[in-house]
Amino acid sequence: MPSNQPDRYGVIGYPVSHSRSPYIHQLFAQQTDQNIQYDLIEVPPGILKAKIQEFMEEGGKGLNITLPHKSVVATYVDDMSARAVTAGAVNTLVFRDDVLYGDNTDGTGLVTDLENNQRFRIKGAKILILGAGGAARGIIGPLLNAHACSIVIANRTFEKAIDLADRFKQLGTVTACEIGALTSEHSFNLIINATSAGLKGGAWLYPPSIVNMDALCYDLSYSEVPTPFMQWTSELGAARSIMGWGMLVEQAAESFFIWREIQPNTKPVLEQLTGKTA
Ligand code: ATR
C-alpha cells in the first residue's frame, strides 16, 4: 500500500448511522496531523466476527465497537486490557501483528470528563448509579480507581444490582439498594443515569427525593436536546444536570491515543460538537 494512503479505522454498531465518532476522530486527526480514515460500519450481530476479521485482513488498524456488540466482542479477542476485563466489554480494538487486542475506554472517558471538564472531585465522592446493565458495569471500576468514597447501585431489577455490587465489592464500598429504599438521607454527590430508560421509554420509578441541589446529575446518554433524566433532575432543583457528550469525546480521545500514541486536545472538539464554548 502506498504510504500516502490513510490508516483505516471505524466504528461497528447496529444501528450506527447516528454515531458522531467519525466526526470526532476526523477533528482529532486534523488537529494532530494524522492521516486516517474513520468509517461508520453497520454490522448485525450474526456476522460481527467475520466483519472484524475482514476489516483486519484488509489492513485496517483498529475499530471502535458500540451497541449492541461491546460484550460479545470481549469473547472474541486474543488479549484484553485489565479495564476491559473488569468492564466485561470492549469498545476499542487494536490489530497488531495479527493479534486482536481489546480495550475499554468508556470508564476512563467518564472519569476524565468529570475531573477535567466538569471539575468534579471523584475522590471521596458518594455516588449513586441508576441501572445495572452494561453501561453501569463499565464505569464502576474506573470510579473506584479514582477513589470514590462509595457507590450505591439502584436498579429496577434488584437482583441485577446485587450481582453487580458483589462483582465489585473487593475493589471498594459498593452496595445495592432497592429503589423503594432510596431516601433523601443518602445525600449523594453524584447521580449517574446508566439506564436505557430515556431511549426505551417506560415508567421512571426512581423517587424524586434522591435528587438534591448540590448533586451533580450526569446522564451517560446524550442527545441534541436535554434528556428526560436531565429535565427530571433540573425540575427537582439540581444545580447541575449534564449529559454524556464529554464522556463520548474523552473515550474517543483515549481510543485515538491507543491507536496513534498522540493525545488530542478534547476541548475544542467538545465545543464544536455541542456548539458551546465550555
Ligand atoms: P446496557 O447493557 O446497554 O446498559 P441493558 O442491559 O438493557 O443495557 O440495561 C439497561 C438498564 O436500564 C437496566 O439497568 C434496566 O433495568 P432492568 O435491569 O430492570 O431491566 C434499566 N432500565 C431500562 N428501562 C428502565 C426504566 N423505564 N426505568 C428504570 N430502569 C430502566
Side-chain angles (χ1 to χ4, degrees), residues 147-205:
H147 307 291
C149 164
S150 61
I151 295 180
V152 173
I153 305 166
N155 192 47
R156 184 174 60 182
T157 311
F158 185 48
E159 292 70 29
K160 280 170 70 180
I162 295 173
D163 287 350
L164 204 54
D166 274 353
R167 182 183 285 277
F168 285 96
K169 66 181 179 213
Q170 271 98 344
L171 296 180
T173 307
V174 186
T175 51
C177 182
E178 290 205 64
I179 291 181
L182 288 169
T183 67
S184 53
E185 281 155 40
H186 281 92
S187 184
F188 298 103
N189 308 114
L190 173 64
I191 303 173
I192 298 175
N193 178 30
T195 73
S196 54
L199 308 169
K200 289 184 181 163
W204 181 249
L205 307 164

Side-chain angles (χ1 to χ4, degrees), residues 110-116 118-120 122 190 216 218:
L110 173 66
V111 166
T112 307
D113 185 40
L114 284 168
E115 291 188 329
N116 293 1
Q118 311 302 336
R119 303 275 168 216
F120 178 85
I122 298 173
L190 173 64
L216 173 61
Y218 194 113

